[in-house]
Amino acid sequence: MTEEQFSPFFERIERPNPDKAVDFQRHGRLKHLIFGSQLNVPLLEKLCRSADTIRTMARTVDGHRSLRNLLAHKRAMLYFTQPSTRTFLSFMAACQILGITCNEVRDPKTSSEVKRESQTDSVRMFSSYFDVIIMRSQVEKFAEVCAYMMNDLEETEQRSVPIINAGAGSDEHPTQALLDMYTIYRTFRFPQSTAQESSRLSQLKREYPDLVSGPQQKTYLFCGDIARGRTVRSLATVLAQYPGVRMFFVAPDHDALRLDKKLESNLIASGVDIRQFGSLDETVDGQPILAQTDCVYMTRIQREHNSPETETELAALDLEPFRLTKSRVNQLKSFSAILHPFPRDRVVGEIPTEVDQDPRALYFRQARNGMWARAALLVHLFDASEDLIYAHSQSLQSSS
Ligand code: NCD
């Protein structure tokens, strides 16, 4: 991506996010999804409801069939020039659930980029053939630039399609924040299990009197590569909207990894109580930080961003204090959620596989939630939420 491709959009890129968000919505609905703070609380709650509806419908053959008709007239381009397993596959599965036909470009060597076609021209070409472009790139702000390009095309009454940022450099990963929030909503909903039993929440309240349902009034602990983890940036920004949220950031003592000043000041400006630590074993107010945590968000050290000097410096770091071992898991509250955007590093083992059996280890469910949450996002972008509700009611009638 050259400077020349970015330059027409510089002024727009330099604006604060709330100003940009206006360009990425239409009639109160998302037009493009570029950064986490576009996911406000009412929208998240709506998307979580749609995701629940889709997952319920997908349990029956009839429900599956009517989901597949919902967006069968749409085509999606998955333009992923950076490695991906979960984001790519869950978007593809989400498209398949909704009947959207998808195609992919993953290796630019197979596209005309080898003939010196610019990436912006490539994206504009995709918009000629497809109805949505879901894109991951190592270039920060590339998805944002493409969204402006689409808006400019629309201004001149040319073809324009929604852009979904599926990961942009070390900057933002809003759809990961969406599925993380869906997992957090589901976990902290504390549903009633049986009629005889009092609700799980009132049982838990005996041990944790201040506990409330929902993402608010909770302590979130982020551990690992805080500075370069785009998932951390997007999720922390989204969580900052909820009242009473406290965030613990646990990272090795290195500038490349610690919470960066920009995110720190944004979170403080949103009223979040932030604490930073150099180990998972630290305490605050005389109590272990893990014992005060409602949700742990583990991340891997993102070696691919290392410069040769950082590589040498990071190789010398002791990562043991940043591993969520079984004994550390034992310090967590009984209802806590252990999340990880994945992939986890099998050599470092920031979450050892022995933790996988713990009921609080939600990372595999979290990844599956990505499929439902991304399907809900596509339904929203294509303005098919009412159709989804109708299809659900029809499938309920036909099964009764
Ligand atoms: C993350 C990513 O690509 O940013 N993975 C994901 O999308 N689930 C995290 C990572 O690569 O460490």
Side-chain angles (χ1 to χ4, degrees), residues 86-87 136 173 176 230-231 300 302 341-343:
R86 276 146 292 271
T87 309
R136 165 172 288 197
H173 194 348
Q176 180 70 41
R230 53 193 174 193
T231 61
R300 76 182 168 94
Q302 308 218 345
F342 267 34

PDB file of all heavy atoms in Angstrom, residues 86-87 136 173 176 230-231 300 302 341-343, ligand 1:
ATOM      1  N   ARG A  86      -9.585 -18.687  12.160  1.00  0.00           N
ATOM      2  CA  ARG A  86     -10.922 -18.514  12.728  1.00  0.00           C
ATOM      3  C   ARG A  86     -11.734 -17.417  12.053  1.00  0.00           C
ATOM      4  O   ARG A  86     -12.901 -17.629  11.716  1.00  0.00           O
ATOM      5  CB  ARG A  86     -10.839 -18.180  14.238  1.00  0.00           C
ATOM      6  CG  ARG A  86     -10.708 -19.365  15.125  1.00  0.00           C
ATOM      7  CD  ARG A  86      -9.845 -19.025  16.307  1.00  0.00           C
ATOM      8  NE  ARG A  86      -8.495 -18.817  15.843  1.00  0.00           N
ATOM      9  CZ  ARG A  86      -7.588 -19.774  15.732  1.00  0.00           C
ATOM     10  NH1 ARG A  86      -7.876 -20.985  16.109  1.00  0.00           N
ATOM     11  NH2 ARG A  86      -6.377 -19.539  15.270  1.00  0.00           N
ATOM     12  N   THR A  87     -11.116 -16.247  11.853  1.00  0.00           N
ATOM     13  CA  THR A  87     -11.896 -15.128  11.305  1.00  0.00           C
ATOM     14  C   THR A  87     -12.363 -15.486   9.894  1.00  0.00           C
ATOM     15  O   THR A  87     -13.532 -15.306   9.538  1.00  0.00           O
ATOM     16  CB  THR A  87     -11.060 -13.832  11.313  1.00  0.00           C
ATOM     17  OG1 THR A  87     -10.533 -13.662  12.631  1.00  0.00           O
ATOM     18  CG2 THR A  87     -11.888 -12.633  10.939  1.00  0.00           C
ATOM     19  N   ARG A 136      -8.960  -8.494   5.558  1.00  0.00           N
ATOM     20  CA  ARG A 136      -7.900  -8.471   6.574  1.00  0.00           C
ATOM     21  C   ARG A 136      -6.612  -8.093   5.872  1.00  0.00           C
ATOM     22  O   ARG A 136      -6.290  -8.637   4.811  1.00  0.00           O
ATOM     23  CB  ARG A 136      -7.767  -9.841   7.231  1.00  0.00           C
ATOM     24  CG  ARG A 136      -6.483  -9.971   8.015  1.00  0.00           C
ATOM     25  CD  ARG A 136      -6.426 -11.215   8.818  1.00  0.00           C
ATOM     26  NE  ARG A 136      -7.324 -11.148   9.961  1.00  0.00           N
ATOM     27  CZ  ARG A 136      -7.228 -11.976  11.004  1.00  0.00           C
ATOM     28  NH1 ARG A 136      -6.322 -12.915  11.036  1.00  0.00           N
ATOM     29  NH2 ARG A 136      -8.060 -11.844  12.008  1.00  0.00           N
ATOM     30  N   HIS A 173      -9.700  -4.775  15.420  1.00  0.00           N
ATOM     31  CA  HIS A 173     -10.300  -6.025  14.969  1.00  0.00           C
ATOM     32  C   HIS A 173     -11.740  -6.048  15.503  1.00  0.00           C
ATOM     33  O   HIS A 173     -12.058  -6.790  16.423  1.00  0.00           O
ATOM     34  CB  HIS A 173      -9.479  -7.186  15.539  1.00  0.00           C
ATOM     35  CG  HIS A 173      -9.746  -8.516  14.909  1.00  0.00           C
ATOM     36  ND1 HIS A 173     -10.816  -8.751  14.077  1.00  0.00           N
ATOM     37  CD2 HIS A 173      -9.074  -9.690  15.013  1.00  0.00           C
ATOM     38  CE1 HIS A 173     -10.783 -10.023  13.698  1.00  0.00           C
ATOM     39  NE2 HIS A 173      -9.736 -10.605  14.243  1.00  0.00           N
ATOM     40  N   GLN A 176     -13.870  -9.249  16.068  1.00  0.00           N
ATOM     41  CA  GLN A 176     -13.428 -10.067  17.202  1.00  0.00           C
ATOM     42  C   GLN A 176     -14.056  -9.490  18.484  1.00  0.00           C
ATOM     43  O   GLN A 176     -14.550 -10.235  19.326  1.00  0.00           O
ATOM     44  CB  GLN A 176     -11.898 -10.078  17.298  1.00  0.00           C
ATOM     45  CG  GLN A 176     -11.354 -10.904  18.461  1.00  0.00           C
ATOM     46  CD  GLN A 176     -11.542 -12.407  18.298  1.00  0.00           C
ATOM     47  OE1 GLN A 176     -11.353 -12.935  17.213  1.00  0.00           O
ATOM     48  NE2 GLN A 176     -11.909 -13.093  19.374  1.00  0.00           N
ATOM     49  N   ARG A 230      -4.464  -6.248  18.399  1.00  0.00           N
ATOM     50  CA  ARG A 230      -5.597  -5.446  17.905  1.00  0.00           C
ATOM     51  C   ARG A 230      -6.905  -5.883  18.553  1.00  0.00           C
ATOM     52  O   ARG A 230      -7.839  -5.106  18.687  1.00  0.00           O
ATOM     53  CB  ARG A 230      -5.691  -5.555  16.386  1.00  0.00           C
ATOM     54  CG  ARG A 230      -5.740  -6.980  15.861  1.00  0.00           C
ATOM     55  CD  ARG A 230      -5.512  -7.022  14.368  1.00  0.00           C
ATOM     56  NE  ARG A 230      -5.421  -8.380  13.850  1.00  0.00           N
ATOM     57  CZ  ARG A 230      -4.975  -8.662  12.635  1.00  0.00           C
ATOM     58  NH1 ARG A 230      -4.571  -7.713  11.841  1.00  0.00           N
ATOM     59  NH2 ARG A 230      -4.927  -9.913  12.221  1.00  0.00           N
ATOM     60  N   THR A 231      -6.956  -7.153  18.990  1.00  0.00           N
ATOM     61  CA  THR A 231      -8.188  -7.640  19.626  1.00  0.00           C
ATOM     62  C   THR A 231      -8.376  -6.945  20.978  1.00  0.00           C
ATOM     63  O   THR A 231      -9.491  -6.612  21.357  1.00  0.00           O
ATOM     64  CB  THR A 231      -8.146  -9.162  19.847  1.00  0.00           C
ATOM     65  OG1 THR A 231      -7.054  -9.469  20.711  1.00  0.00           O
ATOM     66  CG2 THR A 231      -7.964  -9.914  18.540  1.00  0.00           C
ATOM     67  N   ARG A 300      -1.545 -13.967  22.833  1.00  0.00           N
ATOM     68  CA  ARG A 300      -0.193 -14.451  22.555  1.00  0.00           C
ATOM     69  C   ARG A 300       0.727 -13.265  22.277  1.00  0.00           C
ATOM     70  O   ARG A 300       0.253 -12.180  21.911  1.00  0.00           O
ATOM     71  CB  ARG A 300      -0.211 -15.422  21.371  1.00  0.00           C
ATOM     72  CG  ARG A 300      -0.352 -14.737  20.067  1.00  0.00           C
ATOM     73  CD  ARG A 300      -0.432 -15.644  18.870  1.00  0.00           C
ATOM     74  NE  ARG A 300      -0.850 -14.811  17.753  1.00  0.00           N
ATOM     75  CZ  ARG A 300      -0.028 -14.220  16.902  1.00  0.00           C
ATOM     76  NH1 ARG A 300       1.270 -14.425  16.996  1.00  0.00           N
ATOM     77  NH2 ARG A 300      -0.472 -13.436  15.957  1.00  0.00           N
ATOM     78  N   GLN A 302       2.822 -11.362  19.860  1.00  0.00           N
ATOM     79  CA  GLN A 302       2.722 -11.330  18.393  1.00  0.00           C
ATOM     80  C   GLN A 302       4.098 -11.112  17.760  1.00  0.00           C
ATOM     81  O   GLN A 302       4.441  -9.984  17.381  1.00  0.00           O
ATOM     82  CB  GLN A 302       1.755 -10.231  17.992  1.00  0.00           C
ATOM     83  CG  GLN A 302       0.429 -10.362  18.731  1.00  0.00           C
ATOM     84  CD  GLN A 302      -0.768 -10.022  17.875  1.00  0.00           C
ATOM     85  OE1 GLN A 302      -0.654  -9.441  16.819  1.00  0.00           O
ATOM     86  NE2 GLN A 302      -1.929 -10.425  18.357  1.00  0.00           N
ATOM     87  N   PRO A 341      -8.454 -14.798  22.024  1.00  0.00           N
ATOM     88  CA  PRO A 341      -8.919 -14.700  20.627  1.00  0.00           C
ATOM     89  C   PRO A 341      -8.360 -15.831  19.775  1.00  0.00           C
ATOM     90  O   PRO A 341      -8.898 -16.116  18.702  1.00  0.00           O
ATOM     91  CB  PRO A 341      -8.378 -13.347  20.166  1.00  0.00           C
ATOM     92  CG  PRO A 341      -7.216 -13.046  21.065  1.00  0.00           C
ATOM     93  CD  PRO A 341      -7.539 -13.705  22.382  1.00  0.00           C
ATOM     94  N   PHE A 342      -7.283 -16.454  20.258  1.00  0.00           N
ATOM     95  CA  PHE A 342      -6.598 -17.518  19.535  1.00  0.00           C
ATOM     96  C   PHE A 342      -5.941 -16.975  18.268  1.00  0.00           C
ATOM     97  O   PHE A 342      -6.413 -15.982  17.716  1.00  0.00           O
ATOM     98  CB  PHE A 342      -7.544 -18.680  19.224  1.00  0.00           C
ATOM     99  CG  PHE A 342      -7.509 -19.762  20.272  1.00  0.00           C
ATOM    100  CD1 PHE A 342      -7.319 -19.462  21.611  1.00  0.00           C
ATOM    101  CD2 PHE A 342      -7.635 -21.110  19.924  1.00  0.00           C
ATOM    102  CE1 PHE A 342      -7.299 -20.457  22.579  1.00  0.00           C
ATOM    103  CE2 PHE A 342      -7.606 -22.115  20.884  1.00  0.00           C
ATOM    104  CZ  PHE A 342      -7.445 -21.794  22.202  1.00  0.00           C
ATOM    105  N   PRO A 343      -4.942 -17.506  17.683  1.00  0.00           N
ATOM    106  CA  PRO A 343      -4.305 -18.743  18.101  1.00  0.00           C
ATOM    107  C   PRO A 343      -3.501 -18.562  19.404  1.00  0.00           C
ATOM    108  O   PRO A 343      -3.017 -17.468  19.686  1.00  0.00           O
ATOM    109  CB  PRO A 343      -3.347 -19.018  16.937  1.00  0.00           C
ATOM    110  CG  PRO A 343      -3.024 -17.661  16.382  1.00  0.00           C
ATOM    111  CD  PRO A 343      -4.255 -16.856  16.552  1.00  0.00           C
TER     112      PRO A 343
HETATM  113  C1  NCD B   1      -6.148 -12.538  16.365  1.00  0.00           C
HETATM  114  C2  NCD B   1      -5.739 -11.644  15.216  1.00  0.00           C
HETATM  115  O1  NCD B   1      -5.518 -12.091  14.102  1.00  0.00           O
HETATM  116  O2  NCD B   1      -5.674 -10.461  15.505  1.00  0.00           O
HETATM  117  N1  NCD B   1      -6.746 -13.713  16.018  1.00  0.00           N
HETATM  118  C3  NCD B   1      -8.046 -13.732  15.580  1.00  0.00           C
HETATM  119  O3  NCD B   1      -8.442 -13.033  14.675  1.00  0.00           O
HETATM  120  N2  NCD B   1      -8.878 -14.564  16.222  1.00  0.00           N
HETATM  121  C4  NCD B   1      -5.115 -12.634  17.407  1.00  0.00           C
HETATM  122  C5  NCD B   1      -3.728 -13.091  17.052  1.00  0.00           C
HETATM  123  O4  NCD B   1      -3.360 -13.257  15.903  1.00  0.00           O
HETATM  124  O5  NCD B   1      -2.984 -13.286  18.018  1.00  0.00           O
END
